[in-house]
PDB file of all heavy atoms in Angstrom:
ATOM      1  N   VAL A1084      33.118  52.483  34.544  1.00  0.00           N
ATOM      2  CA  VAL A1084      34.057  53.161  33.656  1.00  0.00           C
ATOM      3  C   VAL A1084      33.270  54.228  32.908  1.00  0.00           C
ATOM      4  O   VAL A1084      32.238  53.941  32.305  1.00  0.00           O
ATOM      5  CB  VAL A1084      34.718  52.180  32.667  1.00  0.00           C
ATOM      6  CG1 VAL A1084      35.645  52.921  31.715  1.00  0.00           C
ATOM      7  CG2 VAL A1084      35.465  51.080  33.406  1.00  0.00           C
ATOM      8  N   GLY A1085      33.751  55.458  32.970  1.00  0.00           N
ATOM      9  CA  GLY A1085      33.088  56.557  32.281  1.00  0.00           C
ATOM     10  C   GLY A1085      33.690  56.808  30.907  1.00  0.00           C
ATOM     11  O   GLY A1085      32.988  57.025  29.931  1.00  0.00           O
ATOM     12  N   GLN A1086      35.033  56.760  30.846  1.00  0.00           N
ATOM     13  CA  GLN A1086      35.714  57.017  29.583  1.00  0.00           C
ATOM     14  C   GLN A1086      37.186  56.676  29.732  1.00  0.00           C
ATOM     15  O   GLN A1086      37.777  56.864  30.798  1.00  0.00           O
ATOM     16  CB  GLN A1086      35.560  58.493  29.192  1.00  0.00           C
ATOM     17  CG  GLN A1086      35.977  58.826  27.805  1.00  0.00           C
ATOM     18  CD  GLN A1086      35.615  60.263  27.411  1.00  0.00           C
ATOM     19  OE1 GLN A1086      35.425  61.121  28.259  1.00  0.00           O
ATOM     20  NE2 GLN A1086      35.527  60.510  26.129  1.00  0.00           N
ATOM     21  N   ILE A1087      37.777  56.173  28.647  1.00  0.00           N
ATOM     22  CA  ILE A1087      39.212  55.939  28.570  1.00  0.00           C
ATOM     23  C   ILE A1087      39.661  56.474  27.220  1.00  0.00           C
ATOM     24  O   ILE A1087      39.178  56.018  26.177  1.00  0.00           O
ATOM     25  CB  ILE A1087      39.569  54.443  28.719  1.00  0.00           C
ATOM     26  CG1 ILE A1087      39.168  53.951  30.115  1.00  0.00           C
ATOM     27  CG2 ILE A1087      41.056  54.222  28.454  1.00  0.00           C
ATOM     28  CD1 ILE A1087      39.424  52.477  30.368  1.00  0.00           C
ATOM     29  N   LYS A1088      40.575  57.461  27.266  1.00  0.00           N
ATOM     30  CA  LYS A1088      40.969  58.116  26.022  1.00  0.00           C
ATOM     31  C   LYS A1088      42.344  58.754  26.149  1.00  0.00           C
ATOM     32  O   LYS A1088      42.935  58.788  27.227  1.00  0.00           O
ATOM     33  CB  LYS A1088      39.952  59.192  25.657  1.00  0.00           C
ATOM     34  CG  LYS A1088      39.899  60.357  26.644  1.00  0.00           C
ATOM     35  CD  LYS A1088      38.865  61.367  26.225  1.00  0.00           C
ATOM     36  CE  LYS A1088      38.827  62.561  27.167  1.00  0.00           C
ATOM     37  NZ  LYS A1088      37.902  63.577  26.665  1.00  0.00           N
ATOM     38  N   GLN A1089      42.841  59.277  25.055  1.00  0.00           N
ATOM     39  CA  GLN A1089      44.040  60.083  25.022  1.00  0.00           C
ATOM     40  C   GLN A1089      43.605  61.540  25.006  1.00  0.00           C
ATOM     41  O   GLN A1089      42.717  61.916  24.257  1.00  0.00           O
ATOM     42  CB  GLN A1089      44.858  59.769  23.770  1.00  0.00           C
ATOM     43  CG  GLN A1089      46.169  60.525  23.655  1.00  0.00           C
ATOM     44  CD  GLN A1089      46.038  61.931  23.072  1.00  0.00           C
ATOM     45  OE1 GLN A1089      46.496  62.886  23.663  1.00  0.00           O
ATOM     46  NE2 GLN A1089      45.406  62.057  21.913  1.00  0.00           N
ATOM     47  N   LYS A1090      44.214  62.326  25.868  1.00  0.00           N
ATOM     48  CA  LYS A1090      43.922  63.766  25.878  1.00  0.00           C
ATOM     49  C   LYS A1090      45.199  64.493  26.253  1.00  0.00           C
ATOM     50  O   LYS A1090      45.834  64.143  27.251  1.00  0.00           O
ATOM     51  CB  LYS A1090      42.813  64.087  26.876  1.00  0.00           C
ATOM     52  CG  LYS A1090      42.413  65.537  26.880  1.00  0.00           C
ATOM     53  CD  LYS A1090      41.211  65.751  27.792  1.00  0.00           C
ATOM     54  CE  LYS A1090      40.780  67.205  27.750  1.00  0.00           C
ATOM     55  NZ  LYS A1090      39.610  67.419  28.613  1.00  0.00           N
ATOM     56  N   PHE A1091      45.583  65.461  25.454  1.00  0.00           N
ATOM     57  CA  PHE A1091      46.811  66.219  25.670  1.00  0.00           C
ATOM     58  C   PHE A1091      48.025  65.294  25.810  1.00  0.00           C
ATOM     59  O   PHE A1091      48.923  65.547  26.592  1.00  0.00           O
ATOM     60  CB  PHE A1091      46.690  67.149  26.875  1.00  0.00           C
ATOM     61  CG  PHE A1091      45.583  68.160  26.750  1.00  0.00           C
ATOM     62  CD1 PHE A1091      44.560  68.194  27.669  1.00  0.00           C
ATOM     63  CD2 PHE A1091      45.573  69.067  25.707  1.00  0.00           C
ATOM     64  CE1 PHE A1091      43.538  69.119  27.559  1.00  0.00           C
ATOM     65  CE2 PHE A1091      44.553  69.996  25.578  1.00  0.00           C
ATOM     66  CZ  PHE A1091      43.531  70.026  26.508  1.00  0.00           C
ATOM     67  N   GLY A1092      48.027  64.191  25.061  1.00  0.00           N
ATOM     68  CA  GLY A1092      49.149  63.265  25.043  1.00  0.00           C
ATOM     69  C   GLY A1092      49.205  62.301  26.208  1.00  0.00           C
ATOM     70  O   GLY A1092      50.150  61.541  26.319  1.00  0.00           O
ATOM     71  N   GLU A1093      48.205  62.336  27.075  1.00  0.00           N
ATOM     72  CA  GLU A1093      48.179  61.453  28.242  1.00  0.00           C
ATOM     73  C   GLU A1093      46.988  60.508  28.169  1.00  0.00           C
ATOM     74  O   GLU A1093      45.963  60.829  27.580  1.00  0.00           O
ATOM     75  CB  GLU A1093      47.999  62.262  29.538  1.00  0.00           C
ATOM     76  CG  GLU A1093      49.126  63.152  29.891  1.00  0.00           C
ATOM     77  CD  GLU A1093      48.861  63.896  31.197  1.00  0.00           C
ATOM     78  OE1 GLU A1093      47.711  63.954  31.670  1.00  0.00           O
ATOM     79  OE2 GLU A1093      49.830  64.427  31.743  1.00  0.00           O
ATOM     80  N   LEU A1094      47.152  59.374  28.807  1.00  0.00           N
ATOM     81  CA  LEU A1094      46.034  58.461  28.996  1.00  0.00           C
ATOM     82  C   LEU A1094      45.121  59.081  30.038  1.00  0.00           C
ATOM     83  O   LEU A1094      45.567  59.483  31.106  1.00  0.00           O
ATOM     84  CB  LEU A1094      46.534  57.106  29.490  1.00  0.00           C
ATOM     85  CG  LEU A1094      45.464  56.070  29.832  1.00  0.00           C
ATOM     86  CD1 LEU A1094      44.686  55.663  28.585  1.00  0.00           C
ATOM     87  CD2 LEU A1094      46.106  54.857  30.487  1.00  0.00           C
ATOM     88  N   ARG A1095      43.846  59.188  29.725  1.00  0.00           N
ATOM     89  CA  ARG A1095      42.869  59.703  30.674  1.00  0.00           C
ATOM     90  C   ARG A1095      41.860  58.597  30.947  1.00  0.00           C
ATOM     91  O   ARG A1095      41.287  58.019  30.020  1.00  0.00           O
ATOM     92  CB  ARG A1095      42.133  60.929  30.131  1.00  0.00           C
ATOM     93  CG  ARG A1095      43.030  62.129  29.876  1.00  0.00           C
ATOM     94  CD  ARG A1095      43.581  62.681  31.195  1.00  0.00           C
ATOM     95  NE  ARG A1095      44.551  63.721  30.974  1.00  0.00           N
ATOM     96  CZ  ARG A1095      44.284  65.025  30.981  1.00  0.00           C
ATOM     97  NH1 ARG A1095      43.070  65.449  31.214  1.00  0.00           N
ATOM     98  NH2 ARG A1095      45.247  65.897  30.753  1.00  0.00           N
ATOM     99  N   VAL A1096      41.682  58.297  32.211  1.00  0.00           N
ATOM    100  CA  VAL A1096      40.770  57.241  32.633  1.00  0.00           C
ATOM    101  C   VAL A1096      39.799  57.841  33.629  1.00  0.00           C
ATOM    102  O   VAL A1096      40.214  58.378  34.655  1.00  0.00           O
ATOM    103  CB  VAL A1096      41.534  56.060  33.269  1.00  0.00           C
ATOM    104  CG1 VAL A1096      40.569  54.992  33.748  1.00  0.00           C
ATOM    105  CG2 VAL A1096      42.531  55.477  32.282  1.00  0.00           C
ATOM    106  N   TYR A1097      38.519  57.759  33.306  1.00  0.00           N
ATOM    107  CA  TYR A1097      37.478  58.278  34.186  1.00  0.00           C
ATOM    108  C   TYR A1097      36.677  57.084  34.701  1.00  0.00           C
ATOM    109  O   TYR A1097      36.015  56.398  33.924  1.00  0.00           O
ATOM    110  CB  TYR A1097      36.579  59.255  33.434  1.00  0.00           C
ATOM    111  CG  TYR A1097      37.354  60.411  32.842  1.00  0.00           C
ATOM    112  CD1 TYR A1097      37.740  60.410  31.507  1.00  0.00           C
ATOM    113  CD2 TYR A1097      37.733  61.492  33.642  1.00  0.00           C
ATOM    114  CE1 TYR A1097      38.460  61.461  30.965  1.00  0.00           C
ATOM    115  CE2 TYR A1097      38.460  62.546  33.110  1.00  0.00           C
ATOM    116  CZ  TYR A1097      38.820  62.526  31.763  1.00  0.00           C
ATOM    117  OH  TYR A1097      39.541  63.570  31.237  1.00  0.00           O
ATOM    118  N   ILE A1098      36.811  56.830  35.992  1.00  0.00           N
ATOM    119  CA  ILE A1098      36.102  55.731  36.632  1.00  0.00           C
ATOM    120  C   ILE A1098      35.306  56.311  37.787  1.00  0.00           C
ATOM    121  O   ILE A1098      35.820  57.120  38.569  1.00  0.00           O
ATOM    122  CB  ILE A1098      37.070  54.635  37.120  1.00  0.00           C
ATOM    123  CG1 ILE A1098      37.733  53.961  35.910  1.00  0.00           C
ATOM    124  CG2 ILE A1098      36.339  53.607  37.970  1.00  0.00           C
ATOM    125  CD1 ILE A1098      38.681  52.833  36.253  1.00  0.00           C
ATOM    126  N   HIS A1099      34.049  55.908  37.892  1.00  0.00           N
ATOM    127  CA  HIS A1099      33.154  56.430  38.927  1.00  0.00           C
ATOM    128  C   HIS A1099      32.882  55.359  39.982  1.00  0.00           C
ATOM    129  O   HIS A1099      32.892  54.171  39.694  1.00  0.00           O
ATOM    130  CB  HIS A1099      31.836  56.886  38.303  1.00  0.00           C
ATOM    131  CG  HIS A1099      32.026  57.752  37.093  1.00  0.00           C
ATOM    132  ND1 HIS A1099      32.526  59.025  37.173  1.00  0.00           N
ATOM    133  CD2 HIS A1099      31.833  57.508  35.778  1.00  0.00           C
ATOM    134  CE1 HIS A1099      32.611  59.547  35.954  1.00  0.00           C
ATOM    135  NE2 HIS A1099      32.204  58.634  35.087  1.00  0.00           N
ATOM    136  N   ASP A1100      32.634  55.813  41.194  1.00  0.00           N
ATOM    137  CA  ASP A1100      32.273  54.933  42.319  1.00  0.00           C
ATOM    138  C   ASP A1100      33.376  53.946  42.670  1.00  0.00           C
ATOM    139  O   ASP A1100      33.102  52.829  43.100  1.00  0.00           O
ATOM    140  CB  ASP A1100      30.958  54.184  42.036  1.00  0.00           C
ATOM    141  CG  ASP A1100      29.831  55.128  41.664  1.00  0.00           C
ATOM    142  OD1 ASP A1100      29.709  56.180  42.314  1.00  0.00           O
ATOM    143  OD2 ASP A1100      29.085  54.820  40.726  1.00  0.00           O
ATOM    144  N   ALA A1101      34.620  54.343  42.503  1.00  0.00           N
ATOM    145  CA  ALA A1101      35.752  53.467  42.801  1.00  0.00           C
ATOM    146  C   ALA A1101      36.328  53.800  44.174  1.00  0.00           C
ATOM    147  O   ALA A1101      36.126  54.890  44.708  1.00  0.00           O
ATOM    148  CB  ALA A1101      36.832  53.634  41.740  1.00  0.00           C
ATOM    149  N   LEU A1102      37.070  52.857  44.716  1.00  0.00           N
ATOM    150  CA  LEU A1102      37.795  53.093  45.962  1.00  0.00           C
ATOM    151  C   LEU A1102      38.864  54.169  45.734  1.00  0.00           C
ATOM    152  O   LEU A1102      39.384  54.294  44.613  1.00  0.00           O
ATOM    153  CB  LEU A1102      38.470  51.800  46.432  1.00  0.00           C
ATOM    154  CG  LEU A1102      37.547  50.658  46.838  1.00  0.00           C
ATOM    155  CD1 LEU A1102      38.362  49.397  47.123  1.00  0.00           C
ATOM    156  CD2 LEU A1102      36.721  51.039  48.057  1.00  0.00           C
ATOM    157  N   PRO A1103      39.215  54.936  46.762  1.00  0.00           N
ATOM    158  CA  PRO A1103      40.239  55.986  46.603  1.00  0.00           C
ATOM    159  C   PRO A1103      41.557  55.470  46.045  1.00  0.00           C
ATOM    160  O   PRO A1103      42.227  56.163  45.273  1.00  0.00           O
ATOM    161  CB  PRO A1103      40.417  56.532  48.022  1.00  0.00           C
ATOM    162  CG  PRO A1103      39.139  56.226  48.722  1.00  0.00           C
ATOM    163  CD  PRO A1103      38.643  54.939  48.108  1.00  0.00           C
ATOM    164  N   GLU A1104      41.941  54.242  46.407  1.00  0.00           N
ATOM    165  CA  GLU A1104      43.194  53.676  45.898  1.00  0.00           C
ATOM    166  C   GLU A1104      43.176  53.547  44.380  1.00  0.00           C
ATOM    167  O   GLU A1104      44.227  53.624  43.738  1.00  0.00           O
ATOM    168  CB  GLU A1104      43.462  52.294  46.511  1.00  0.00           C
ATOM    169  CG  GLU A1104      43.642  52.298  48.006  1.00  0.00           C
ATOM    170  CD  GLU A1104      42.362  51.970  48.775  1.00  0.00           C
ATOM    171  OE1 GLU A1104      41.270  52.347  48.328  1.00  0.00           O
ATOM    172  OE2 GLU A1104      42.475  51.337  49.829  1.00  0.00           O
ATOM    173  N   VAL A1105      42.000  53.336  43.818  1.00  0.00           N
ATOM    174  CA  VAL A1105      41.884  53.222  42.360  1.00  0.00           C
ATOM    175  C   VAL A1105      42.226  54.554  41.706  1.00  0.00           C
ATOM    176  O   VAL A1105      42.917  54.590  40.685  1.00  0.00           O
ATOM    177  CB  VAL A1105      40.471  52.735  41.955  1.00  0.00           C
ATOM    178  CG1 VAL A1105      40.259  52.840  40.451  1.00  0.00           C
ATOM    179  CG2 VAL A1105      40.255  51.307  42.426  1.00  0.00           C
ATOM    180  N   ASN A1106      41.776  55.640  42.299  1.00  0.00           N
ATOM    181  CA  ASN A1106      42.108  56.957  41.749  1.00  0.00           C
ATOM    182  C   ASN A1106      43.612  57.200  41.778  1.00  0.00           C
ATOM    183  O   ASN A1106      44.172  57.801  40.861  1.00  0.00           O
ATOM    184  CB  ASN A1106      41.354  58.047  42.506  1.00  0.00           C
ATOM    185  CG  ASN A1106      39.861  57.928  42.315  1.00  0.00           C
ATOM    186  OD1 ASN A1106      39.391  57.600  41.234  1.00  0.00           O
ATOM    187  ND2 ASN A1106      39.107  58.170  43.357  1.00  0.00           N
ATOM    188  N   GLU A1107      44.286  56.712  42.819  1.00  0.00           N
ATOM    189  CA  GLU A1107      45.741  56.828  42.896  1.00  0.00           C
ATOM    190  C   GLU A1107      46.403  56.007  41.780  1.00  0.00           C
ATOM    191  O   GLU A1107      47.398  56.441  41.183  1.00  0.00           O
ATOM    192  CB  GLU A1107      46.236  56.365  44.262  1.00  0.00           C
ATOM    193  CG  GLU A1107      45.787  57.270  45.398  1.00  0.00           C
ATOM    194  CD  GLU A1107      46.060  56.683  46.775  1.00  0.00           C
ATOM    195  OE1 GLU A1107      46.845  55.713  46.888  1.00  0.00           O
ATOM    196  OE2 GLU A1107      45.469  57.203  47.742  1.00  0.00           O
ATOM    197  N   LEU A1108      45.862  54.828  41.501  1.00  0.00           N
ATOM    198  CA  LEU A1108      46.393  54.001  40.411  1.00  0.00           C
ATOM    199  C   LEU A1108      46.225  54.694  39.059  1.00  0.00           C
ATOM    200  O   LEU A1108      47.117  54.633  38.211  1.00  0.00           O
ATOM    201  CB  LEU A1108      45.692  52.645  40.372  1.00  0.00           C
ATOM    202  CG  LEU A1108      46.066  51.652  41.456  1.00  0.00           C
ATOM    203  CD1 LEU A1108      45.179  50.413  41.368  1.00  0.00           C
ATOM    204  CD2 LEU A1108      47.529  51.269  41.347  1.00  0.00           C
ATOM    205  N   ILE A1109      45.100  55.322  38.877  1.00  0.00           N
ATOM    206  CA  ILE A1109      44.847  56.027  37.615  1.00  0.00           C
ATOM    207  C   ILE A1109      45.903  57.102  37.400  1.00  0.00           C
ATOM    208  O   ILE A1109      46.458  57.232  36.301  1.00  0.00           O
ATOM    209  CB  ILE A1109      43.421  56.610  37.588  1.00  0.00           C
ATOM    210  CG1 ILE A1109      42.404  55.465  37.482  1.00  0.00           C
ATOM    211  CG2 ILE A1109      43.253  57.599  36.443  1.00  0.00           C
ATOM    212  CD1 ILE A1109      40.968  55.887  37.711  1.00  0.00           C
ATOM    213  N   VAL A1110      46.214  57.858  38.431  1.00  0.00           N
ATOM    214  CA  VAL A1110      47.251  58.893  38.329  1.00  0.00           C
ATOM    215  C   VAL A1110      48.597  58.253  38.000  1.00  0.00           C
ATOM    216  O   VAL A1110      49.336  58.742  37.144  1.00  0.00           O
ATOM    217  CB  VAL A1110      47.323  59.722  39.630  1.00  0.00           C
ATOM    218  CG1 VAL A1110      48.544  60.634  39.628  1.00  0.00           C
ATOM    219  CG2 VAL A1110      46.046  60.529  39.827  1.00  0.00           C
ATOM    220  N   LYS A1111      48.909  57.155  38.654  1.00  0.00           N
ATOM    221  CA  LYS A1111      50.169  56.439  38.402  1.00  0.00           C
ATOM    222  C   LYS A1111      50.292  56.052  36.925  1.00  0.00           C
ATOM    223  O   LYS A1111      51.318  56.302  36.287  1.00  0.00           O
ATOM    224  CB  LYS A1111      50.235  55.184  39.277  1.00  0.00           C
ATOM    225  CG  LYS A1111      51.372  54.249  38.965  1.00  0.00           C
ATOM    226  CD  LYS A1111      51.274  52.968  39.790  1.00  0.00           C
ATOM    227  CE  LYS A1111      52.167  51.875  39.299  1.00  0.00           C
ATOM    228  NZ  LYS A1111      52.038  50.638  40.083  1.00  0.00           N
ATOM    229  N   TYR A1112      49.242  55.461  36.379  1.00  0.00           N
ATOM    230  CA  TYR A1112      49.306  54.996  34.991  1.00  0.00           C
ATOM    231  C   TYR A1112      49.199  56.149  33.991  1.00  0.00           C
ATOM    232  O   TYR A1112      49.720  56.056  32.873  1.00  0.00           O
ATOM    233  CB  TYR A1112      48.269  53.902  34.741  1.00  0.00           C
ATOM    234  CG  TYR A1112      48.758  52.598  35.320  1.00  0.00           C
ATOM    235  CD1 TYR A1112      48.340  52.159  36.571  1.00  0.00           C
ATOM    236  CD2 TYR A1112      49.695  51.828  34.648  1.00  0.00           C
ATOM    237  CE1 TYR A1112      48.829  50.986  37.124  1.00  0.00           C
ATOM    238  CE2 TYR A1112      50.195  50.657  35.189  1.00  0.00           C
ATOM    239  CZ  TYR A1112      49.761  50.238  36.419  1.00  0.00           C
ATOM    240  OH  TYR A1112      50.263  49.079  36.958  1.00  0.00           O
ATOM    241  N   GLN A1113      48.576  57.221  34.388  1.00  0.00           N
ATOM    242  CA  GLN A1113      48.551  58.418  33.547  1.00  0.00           C
ATOM    243  C   GLN A1113      49.982  58.940  33.399  1.00  0.00           C
ATOM    244  O   GLN A1113      50.401  59.317  32.292  1.00  0.00           O
ATOM    245  CB  GLN A1113      47.657  59.468  34.210  1.00  0.00           C
ATOM    246  CG  GLN A1113      47.297  60.636  33.347  1.00  0.00           C
ATOM    247  CD  GLN A1113      46.218  61.481  34.013  1.00  0.00           C
ATOM    248  OE1 GLN A1113      45.147  60.997  34.329  1.00  0.00           O
ATOM    249  NE2 GLN A1113      46.523  62.735  34.225  1.00  0.00           N
ATOM    250  N   GLU A1114      50.728  58.948  34.485  1.00  0.00           N
ATOM    251  CA  GLU A1114      52.128  59.392  34.442  1.00  0.00           C
ATOM    252  C   GLU A1114      52.989  58.445  33.613  1.00  0.00           C
ATOM    253  O   GLU A1114      53.897  58.885  32.904  1.00  0.00           O
ATOM    254  CB  GLU A1114      52.674  59.527  35.863  1.00  0.00           C
ATOM    255  CG  GLU A1114      52.047  60.675  36.625  1.00  0.00           C
ATOM    256  CD  GLU A1114      52.398  60.712  38.108  1.00  0.00           C
ATOM    257  OE1 GLU A1114      53.127  59.796  38.584  1.00  0.00           O
ATOM    258  OE2 GLU A1114      51.935  61.637  38.794  1.00  0.00           O
ATOM    259  N   ILE A1115      52.719  57.168  33.668  1.00  0.00           N
ATOM    260  CA  ILE A1115      53.458  56.198  32.846  1.00  0.00           C
ATOM    261  C   ILE A1115      53.173  56.429  31.368  1.00  0.00           C
ATOM    262  O   ILE A1115      54.072  56.332  30.523  1.00  0.00           O
ATOM    263  CB  ILE A1115      53.085  54.752  33.256  1.00  0.00           C
ATOM    264  CG1 ILE A1115      53.645  54.442  34.648  1.00  0.00           C
ATOM    265  CG2 ILE A1115      53.582  53.740  32.223  1.00  0.00           C
ATOM    266  CD1 ILE A1115      53.142  53.135  35.248  1.00  0.00           C
ATOM    267  N   SER A1116      51.938  56.762  31.033  1.00  0.00           N
ATOM    268  CA  SER A1116      51.532  56.887  29.624  1.00  0.00           C
ATOM    269  C   SER A1116      52.307  57.965  28.869  1.00  0.00           C
ATOM    270  O   SER A1116      52.474  57.846  27.659  1.00  0.00           O
ATOM    271  CB  SER A1116      50.030  57.152  29.517  1.00  0.00           C
ATOM    272  OG  SER A1116      49.708  58.483  29.900  1.00  0.00           O
ATOM    273  N   VAL A1117      52.781  58.992  29.550  1.00  0.00           N
ATOM    274  CA  VAL A1117      53.490  60.063  28.839  1.00  0.00           C
ATOM    275  C   VAL A1117      54.916  59.661  28.464  1.00  0.00           C
ATOM    276  O   VAL A1117      55.625  60.441  27.838  1.00  0.00           O
ATOM    277  CB  VAL A1117      53.496  61.391  29.642  1.00  0.00           C
ATOM    278  CG1 VAL A1117      52.079  61.873  29.885  1.00  0.00           C
ATOM    279  CG2 VAL A1117      54.274  61.276  30.930  1.00  0.00           C
ATOM    280  N   LYS A1118      55.285  58.427  28.802  1.00  0.00           N
ATOM    281  CA  LYS A1118      56.616  57.917  28.461  1.00  0.00           C
ATOM    282  C   LYS A1118      56.540  56.739  27.500  1.00  0.00           C
ATOM    283  O   LYS A1118      57.547  56.110  27.197  1.00  0.00           O
ATOM    284  CB  LYS A1118      57.342  57.474  29.738  1.00  0.00           C
ATOM    285  CG  LYS A1118      57.532  58.590  30.735  1.00  0.00           C
ATOM    286  CD  LYS A1118      58.084  58.065  32.032  1.00  0.00           C
ATOM    287  CE  LYS A1118      58.040  59.152  33.090  1.00  0.00           C
ATOM    288  NZ  LYS A1118      58.196  58.623  34.429  1.00  0.00           N
ATOM    289  N   ILE A1119      55.327  56.416  27.040  1.00  0.00           N
ATOM    290  CA  ILE A1119      55.102  55.250  26.177  1.00  0.00           C
ATOM    291  C   ILE A1119      54.360  55.692  24.916  1.00  0.00           C
ATOM    292  O   ILE A1119      53.335  56.382  25.000  1.00  0.00           O
ATOM    293  CB  ILE A1119      54.256  54.175  26.907  1.00  0.00           C
ATOM    294  CG1 ILE A1119      54.920  53.738  28.207  1.00  0.00           C
ATOM    295  CG2 ILE A1119      53.949  52.993  25.999  1.00  0.00           C
ATOM    296  CD1 ILE A1119      56.224  52.998  28.036  1.00  0.00           C
ATOM    297  N   CYS A1120      54.848  55.277  23.760  1.00  0.00           N
ATOM    298  CA  CYS A1120      54.188  55.616  22.501  1.00  0.00           C
ATOM    299  C   CYS A1120      52.790  55.015  22.482  1.00  0.00           C
ATOM    300  O   CYS A1120      52.616  53.807  22.661  1.00  0.00           O
ATOM    301  CB  CYS A1120      55.000  55.093  21.316  1.00  0.00           C
ATOM    302  SG  CYS A1120      54.181  55.333  19.721  1.00  0.00           S
ATOM    303  N   GLU A1121      51.820  55.867  22.247  1.00  0.00           N
ATOM    304  CA  GLU A1121      50.432  55.413  22.178  1.00  0.00           C
ATOM    305  C   GLU A1121      50.202  54.481  20.993  1.00  0.00           C
ATOM    306  O   GLU A1121      49.318  53.630  21.031  1.00  0.00           O
ATOM    307  CB  GLU A1121      49.504  56.631  22.063  1.00  0.00           C
ATOM    308  CG  GLU A1121      48.055  56.279  21.966  1.00  0.00           C
ATOM    309  CD  GLU A1121      47.159  57.460  21.637  1.00  0.00           C
ATOM    310  OE1 GLU A1121      47.645  58.605  21.550  1.00  0.00           O
ATOM    311  OE2 GLU A1121      45.959  57.220  21.449  1.00  0.00           O
ATOM    312  N   GLY A1122      51.001  54.611  19.974  1.00  0.00           N
ATOM    313  CA  GLY A1122      50.810  53.804  18.775  1.00  0.00           C
ATOM    314  C   GLY A1122      51.386  52.401  18.857  1.00  0.00           C
ATOM    315  O   GLY A1122      50.736  51.431  18.480  1.00  0.00           O
ATOM    316  N   CYS A1123      52.630  52.290  19.370  1.00  0.00           N
ATOM    317  CA  CYS A1123      53.304  50.983  19.323  1.00  0.00           C
ATOM    318  C   CYS A1123      53.804  50.479  20.673  1.00  0.00           C
ATOM    319  O   CYS A1123      54.208  49.328  20.783  1.00  0.00           O
ATOM    320  CB  CYS A1123      54.461  51.022  18.333  1.00  0.00           C
ATOM    321  SG  CYS A1123      55.825  52.101  18.851  1.00  0.00           S
ATOM    322  N   GLY A1124      53.822  51.329  21.690  1.00  0.00           N
ATOM    323  CA  GLY A1124      54.200  50.886  23.027  1.00  0.00           C
ATOM    324  C   GLY A1124      55.680  50.998  23.370  1.00  0.00           C
ATOM    325  O   GLY A1124      56.073  50.621  24.466  1.00  0.00           O
TER     326      GLY A1124
END
């Protein structure tokens, strides 16, 4: 794990040396994050 943070209102997850499917999951959850309040869920 390189970093997990909020940037430009989205969840940003930086993971290194992961399988390609993991990168697809990160994009999926990044898209979900823009529909969920970062403060309360």
Side-chain angles (χ1 to χ4, degrees):
V1084 178
Q1086 191 172 22
I1087 296 178
K1088 65 181 182 175
Q1089 182 277 127
K1090 183 174 182 179
F1091 300 120
E1093 294 181 344
L1094 176 65
R1095 297 293 173 96
V1096 178
Y1097 302 98
I1098 294 182
H1099 312 290
D1100 306 318
L1102 295 173
E1104 297 96 326
V1105 170
N1106 295 322
E1107 293 170 15
L1108 286 174
I1109 290 169
V1110 170
K1111 171 186 166 181
Y1112 283 98
Q1113 192 170 302
E1114 291 171 358
I1115 291 170
S1116 74
V1117 300
K1118 300 173 190 164
I1119 303 294
C1120 175
E1121 179 189 356
C1123 67

